[in-house]
Amino acid sequence: MPVADLRVGAFYAVGMMFAALRTSRTPRRQDRAVYVEILIDAPIETIWDLTQTPEQHARWDGRFSAIIPTRERANGAQEFRYELDLGIHTIRGTGVSLGDRRGKAGERTSALAFDTSDRLSPLGAGRGYWRYVPTPEGVRFLTGYDYAPGWGLIGRVLDPLVTRRFVWWLTAWSFDRLRLWAEDGVPPEETGWWRSLRPGRRPRARARRCRKRPARTGGRTIMQNAPATLTEIAA
């Protein structure tokens, strides 16, 4: 994912300022885990390939500029290194993920745990999951994840006001890039940040196409709805 295309560092600052302006209008929620859901009208195998292949994943997901597999565990979990190139600094960290195709009614899941020692990263250690839920209209592709804020005390203050809001936006924007790729064959490089600002009719990824909260929770939190595989890799 070319730096010149996404310019993550530039729009990170813009996004944080935009989120801060919205703070007073957004109610506080007890469940602070990030939740993003989008409906993708494409075969589940296509979506699985674009999300589970590290090289493909890094192309559409604005949270990463590179994902490098390092070791496979005995249970099939994949350890990896990740990078996010901000132009003036590259955030680096490590993670492990485990995919599972054995869900009921064709549902699939993927669990993730990640961490970084980079003091400039706004996100510290975290864990989360993806769900792929087949429906007659398409595949409900959703994520739930939570993390410890970086940046020490300043990060803990900024996280609910600014950082977490921007993290949601960046995830949702990335999910819509994935949708455009899976549904219409539009490469993520064609829906990058700067290209979307240029005038003219062209496909544009929009975070607002995503759901912010689950339709039904059954009294459970976002992270309580994580697949059992998350416990396996986070232990």
Side-chain angles (χ1 to χ4, degrees):
M1 183 166 46
V3 177
D5 189 23
L6 285 181
R7 305 286 185 180
V8 177
F11 71 74
Y12 184 86
V14 173
M16 291 181 68
M17 290 187 291
F18 175 77
L21 294 175
R22 295 180 51 127
T23 298
S24 61
R25 294 183 292 171
T26 304
R28 291 180 176 271
R29 297 179 183 272
Q30 186 174 2
D31 188 354
R32 294 192 181 278
V34 177
Y35 181 89
V36 179
E37 177 182 328
I38 195 167
L39 182 67
I40 303 178
D41 186 11
I44 192 170
E45 199 62 49
T46 297
I47 302 169
W48 183 263
D49 178 64
L50 297 181
T51 55
Q52 293 295 319
T53 306
E55 296 82 1
Q56 306 284 56
H57 180 187
R59 288 177 62 187
W60 61 264
D61 197 335
R63 297 170 296 178
F64 305 97
S65 53
I67 301 172
I68 305 99
T70 55
R71 184 176 75 91
E72 185 173 320
R73 295 181 179 177
N75 64 353
Q78 179 66 63
E79 296 182 7
F80 61 89
R81 293 185 292 107
Y82 70 84
E83 297 179 357
L84 176 57
D85 191 338
L86 302 176
I88 59 174
H89 176 72
T90 298
I91 295 173
R92 293 180 171 87
T94 59
V96 56
S97 65
L98 178 59
D100 189 350
R101 303 170 182 249
R102 301 167 297 175
K104 295 180 180 178
E107 180 177 329
R108 303 182 186 186
T109 62
S110 182
L112 167 74
F114 60 91
D115 199 359
T116 179
S117 58
D118 192 322
R119 294 184 178 182
L120 296 183
S121 174
L123 277 63
R127 60 196 185 99
Y129 60 92
W130 284 341
R131 287 192 182 276
Y132 310 69
V133 185
T135 75
E137 294 76 29
V139 177
R140 289 175 53 226
F141 179 58
L142 60 93
T143 186
Y145 65 100
D146 204 0
Y147 59 86
W151 300 346
L153 176 61
I154 293 176
R156 291 193 294 273
V157 172
L158 288 178
D159 186 68
L161 303 177
V162 178
T163 309
R164 196 163 293 250
R165 298 170 190 270
F166 180 71
V167 166
W168 181 90
W169 178 88
L170 182 58
T171 305
W173 178 78
S174 298
F175 271 34
D176 201 40
R177 295 181 84 201
L178 171 64
R179 180 191 64 82
L180 289 169
W181 196 10
E183 287 185 354
D184 303 324
V186 180
E189 292 77 14
E190 295 297 320
T191 54
W193 174 249
W194 290 113
R195 292 197 179 200
S196 68
L197 294 179
R198 293 164 55 190
R201 296 180 59 86
R202 58 174 50 85
R204 285 180 169 83
R206 302 188 188 279
R208 64 172 177 263
R209 293 193 177 105
C210 297
R211 181 187 291 273
K212 293 184 177 181
R213 290 287 150 178
R216 295 178 298 276
T217 64
R220 297 169 63 85
T221 66
I222 291 169
M223 293 309 298
Q224 285 173 342
N225 282 321
T229 48
L230 183 58
T231 303
E232 294 181 34
I233 64 174

